[in-house]
Amino acid sequence: MSKTIAVFGAGPGFGRAVAHRFGREGFRVALVARTQNKLDRLVAELAEHDVEAAGFATDLSDRTRLRPVLHRIGERFGNIDVIHYAPAGPEWIPRQVDIRAADPNSFEFGLDMLLRTPAELIGLTLPAMLERGEGAVLFGLAGPNDVPFPQVGNVAVAAAAARAYLHNLHASLSDTGLYAGLVQVAGMVGGSESAEYVAAHWDPSLLPEPLNPAILADAAWELYSKRDRFETIIGL
């Protein structure tokens, strides 16, 4: 029976590329994002490439919705074998705060989306993976983690916390048959809604060339298939 990957944050950039990459390897794909019609378009696109997929609209900022959406995925596909978590979107941009201006409240959105929501998600799915003795959790985070980005300091701090969480999970799972890994994304992802927003509002001559999302997806597949390291950095 084919394995299933659940792509949380299935936008037109990284998430779309991951869906295609794992789909080419025979995975069925559960796509999770806020807008059903966008998910439906991606499902139709994947079907044209003979990838079985279904879309499940939900708001990842509301953790009470995670259990119901996982139940819906389970009804459609059965077990989730791989979780890919890389939420992003133009709504993040106005929430980014320079580290000098950051106050306690400015960290909440990033901590919710990058740490609390995935921790809840993993808490709901990890026991079944451990019982089966197989499974994987993959993150995509803006980075690299060891380079400061004070202009977006509140989100950068939350991303560092998320990396630490996943790195500890990686170590904890080392003898279980499960795997946790991270793709650090050092740049804007081509084709993403965030890249489109930035190109429309900022001077294009000041922007670096967007990263090819297919390269990011290949990196995610390599981490999953080789399992020989915790993370890889794309964009430096």
Side-chain angles (χ1 to χ4, degrees):
M1 184 175 181
S2 298
K3 292 185 176 181
T4 298
I5 182 171
V7 180
F8 290 84
F14 195 2
R16 172 179 175 271
V18 165
H20 277 278
R21 183 67 183 86
F22 278 73
R24 291 203 306 271
E25 301 294 338
F27 276 74
R28 302 176 302 170
V29 183
L31 302 160
V32 183
R34 289 174 302 166
T35 308
Q36 188 65 50
N37 63 348
K38 293 180 181 179
L39 292 171
D40 291 342
R41 288 197 294 270
L42 183 49
V43 168
E45 178 185 311
L46 289 164
E48 292 176 358
H49 292 82
D50 297 320
V51 176
E52 182 182 352
F56 304 86
T58 198
D59 183 355
L60 294 176
S61 67
D62 183 354
R63 292 191 295 280
T64 66
R65 300 188 181 187
L66 291 176
R67 192 181 295 273
V69 79
L70 288 170
H71 179 72
R72 289 161 55 203
I73 293 171
E75 286 185 323
R76 175 65 173 79
F77 290 114
N79 295 327
I80 295 174
D81 299 284
V82 181
I83 288 173
H84 184 269
Y85 188 86
E91 70 275 8
W92 288 62
I93 295 173
R95 296 175 182 267
Q96 295 171 342
V97 176
D98 188 283
I99 197 65
R100 294 188 185 184
D103 61 23
N105 291 331
S106 66
F107 294 100
E108 289 303 309
F109 178 75
L111 288 172
D112 276 342
M113 293 301 294
L114 298 180
L115 183 60
R116 295 182 182 121
T117 288
E120 177 84 5
L121 176 63
I122 291 166
L124 291 170
T125 54
L126 194 63
M129 289 183 178
L130 287 168
E131 185 175 345
R132 297 194 307 272
E134 61 178 2
V137 177
L138 301 172
F139 274 28
L141 291 173
N145 183 258
D146 58 353
V147 177
F149 291 97
Q151 302 92 333
V152 294
N154 63 324
V155 175
V157 168
R163 179 188 180 276
Y165 167 75
L166 193 65
H167 202 180
N168 279 276
L169 183 64
H170 171 85
S172 175
L173 297 176
S174 62
D175 60 352
T176 65
L178 278 65
Y179 172 79
L182 169 64
V183 177
Q184 292 264 20
V185 183
M188 193 68 69
V189 179
S192 67
E193 292 175 326
S194 295
E196 292 177 0
Y197 178 93
V198 168
H201 290 83
W202 297 355
D203 184 350
S205 66
L206 302 177
L207 301 174
E209 189 70 21
L211 299 174
N212 183 344
I215 293 175
L216 300 175
D218 283 341
W221 173 256
E222 184 173 343
L223 286 177
Y224 168 74
S225 57
K226 292 186 176 180
R227 305 187 180 204
D228 57 356
R229 61 196 184 280
F230 163 61
E231 66 186 330
T232 189
I233 301 172
I234 304 296
L236 290 180

